Amino acid sequence: MKTQLTILFLSGLAGATLAQVPTPDANTLMNLGRFDEAKATLVRNAQQNPSVQTYFDAGYGYLRAGQPDSARIWFFKGIPLDEKRIPLNQTGSAITYLVKNDMTNAGPKLDEVVAKSKGKNAEILFRIGEAYTGYLTPGNGSIKPIYPKVVNAAKAIDYLNRATERDKKNPAVQLALGDAYYLNNDAGTAVTRYESALELGMNASRVYQRIGDIYWQGRNLNLAVENYKKAIEANQNYAPAYNQLAELYFLVNRYKEAANYIDQYVNVSNDKRQETLLRQAQFHFLAKDYQRTVNLIDSNRTALAQNPIVYRIEGWAYSSLKEPQKAIQNITTFLEKAPDKAMPDDYKYLGNAYLGIDNTGSDSLKAINDSLGILNLTKAAPFDTTENLYSDIAKYYYRAKKHPQAVAALDSAAKHGFKADVQDLFRYGMSNYTLGFQRDSAGKLVRDTVRFALADSALALAQKASPEYAPTILYRAKAHYYAYAPEEAVRNGKAKPYFEQFISLVADKPDERTRYKKDLILAFKYLISYNELVTKDASARNEWLQKGLSFFPENKDLAKIAAPETDTVDQ
């Protein structure tokens, strides 16, 4: 379920001018999920400055990246340099077995390093305790362990508390304790430990981001944003907070803000990974900044070219930009490259693109493109729960005078739970009205009373939404009139109120009178006949006759009615 965001947009941050961005350190790179860059930095440092710590850091980088076997190689290199009672790299090596859930090897090896350090070295206790958290890694609105199978909150808390007893001022231990308590479903204590890490000098941005992540998991989005804001205030170049803000705004459908913050994240982090650039383009598409979407893809073509999803996003954007040929080219390429990833929206945008092609001067080409457009919309329509594509299909068929297909499309819309708008109702009514005139095998006109009834029902609903729309009223009158033989239609009087209303709406307007001349004459003839055959009201009959003649003095039918002996009404 989408959660509503009730905080003000961080306008002061969104438009901030960012200082020149320094190269992130390895720890920050790991927090960003950019493990390849972090490993490269740490390995280079180990090669240039071999020591207990640099070898451990290189192994730790691989460990955090989810590559324990590679991590073990670097820990092995550092083991000969370990101090006797501080077996740091030996601890790292033992942890590589732990995270692989290889307890046969992990148990004895961990016991050995604890014994060597006599269970008193804070660093060794800290590293083991942190390992039992599975290395929580925040990102994209989540905070999850890299090694979920090894997570043991109770053991993590035990080791980390023992480390705290021996080093009360280590902020890294407090941060790891916050992670452990979070995993123990104690978010309140987790936040307290994070705050302790801050008091002890931990990087403020990192702590505030961690607190923000905890609040996000608890769906307290106000406090999550507040802490991300604090993270950025502490360091405007702290990229993870921008990324989390982008994802949070995405979660609550505020796509413009999401796009704004992911732009700032990319600017600050210089993160050019394919998945990041793709996410950036997606956010701008959702924000309906289609030109920016296309520009981002074009400017990162080399990095993105191997991912077929790029063609989808660009195709959808071009479809929305009313550049149908480019839309068709990109979406078709996507469907060719990744047919197994096709989804209904691909066919929706492809269908709209075909329907949007300018076919000026070529009726045959228009027919082909329109046919392809409808074919693709038909593929998408049954699966689209938010947009009534059946309405678009019906509009096309209605304009093409393919009334059975128009009616079928609108019937499908109703079956799929879409509520017809006034235009749908009018088209449904008019298509059924047209289909009311059938021919038998001999070519004789046969009135389909069911179709006329369906027409009137739909037009009645349309009239409620637009009470004085003349065509709706006119065709309600004609549906009631043509559903019966002429004299029966007059005698039952069902068309009478609609013909009267139609005359009142258009007869006094010269342009409308010209437009609806034939229909107005039919209306006058009907009302004249009704008062002659049903009410026997000569005065009313004469009044309608004279009014009709005043508007259409040259009409031969009205002139004949005015003669002594006349027919009642013509079909």
Side-chain angles (χ1 to χ4, degrees), residues 1-9 215-216 218-225 247-255 257:
M1 176 181 289
K2 293 290 185 181
T3 307
Q4 294 300 314
L5 189 63
T6 56
I7 58 170
L8 294 175
F9 173 51
Y215 281 123
W216 189 342
R219 288 299 184 262
N220 191 332
L221 301 187
N222 291 337
L223 286 175
V225 172
E247 293 293 337
L248 190 151
Y249 281 117
F250 167 74
L251 175 72
V252 296
N253 300 328
R254 290 175 59 172
Y255 300 125
E257 289 96 329

Side-chain angles (χ1 to χ4, degrees), residues 34 46 116 154 173 184 223 311 337 364 397 435 538 547 553 569:
R34 292 162 60 182
K116 274 189 175 182
V173 176
N184 203 41
L223 286 175
Y311 296 102
K337 288 179 174 290
S364 61
Y397 281 129
L435 294 171
K547 192 169 185 178
V569 66

Side-chain angles (χ1 to χ4, degrees), residues 542-561:
N542 189 56
E543 183 179 343
W544 284 114
L545 175 60
Q546 294 307 314
K547 192 169 185 178
L549 286 169
S550 70
F551 290 126
F552 306 107
E554 78 291 349
N555 184 261
K556 293 179 180 179
D557 289 339
L558 292 175
K560 283 176 65 178
I561 293 171

Side-chain angles (χ1 to χ4, degrees), residues 4 7 14 21 64 97 104 113 145-146 183 198 213 247 267 299 380 397 523 555-556:
Q4 294 300 314
I7 58 170
V21 183
R64 287 283 305 276
Y97 293 100
T104 301
V113 296
I146 295 175
L183 292 167
L198 181 64
D213 290 333
E247 293 293 337
N267 182 48
S299 61
Y397 281 129
N555 184 261
K556 293 179 180 179

Side-chain angles (χ1 to χ4, degrees), residues 509-567:
K509 302 172 183 176
D511 290 343
E512 296 289 272
R513 194 162 63 239
T514 299
R515 176 185 176 187
Y516 290 110
K517 177 180 178 180
K518 185 177 179 180
D519 295 313
L520 281 167
I521 291 171
L522 174 63
F524 282 122
K525 288 163 63 179
Y526 179 93
L527 293 169
I528 292 165
S529 297
Y530 180 80
N531 284 286
E532 181 176 305
L533 296 174
V534 181
T535 67
K536 311 292 185 181
D537 187 339
S539 175
R541 172 191 182 279
N542 189 56
E543 183 179 343
W544 284 114
L545 175 60
Q546 294 307 314
K547 192 169 185 178
L549 286 169
S550 70
F551 290 126
F552 306 107
E554 78 291 349
N555 184 261
K556 293 179 180 179
D557 289 339
L558 292 175
K560 283 176 65 178
I561 293 171
E565 294 185 8
T566 65
D567 297 325

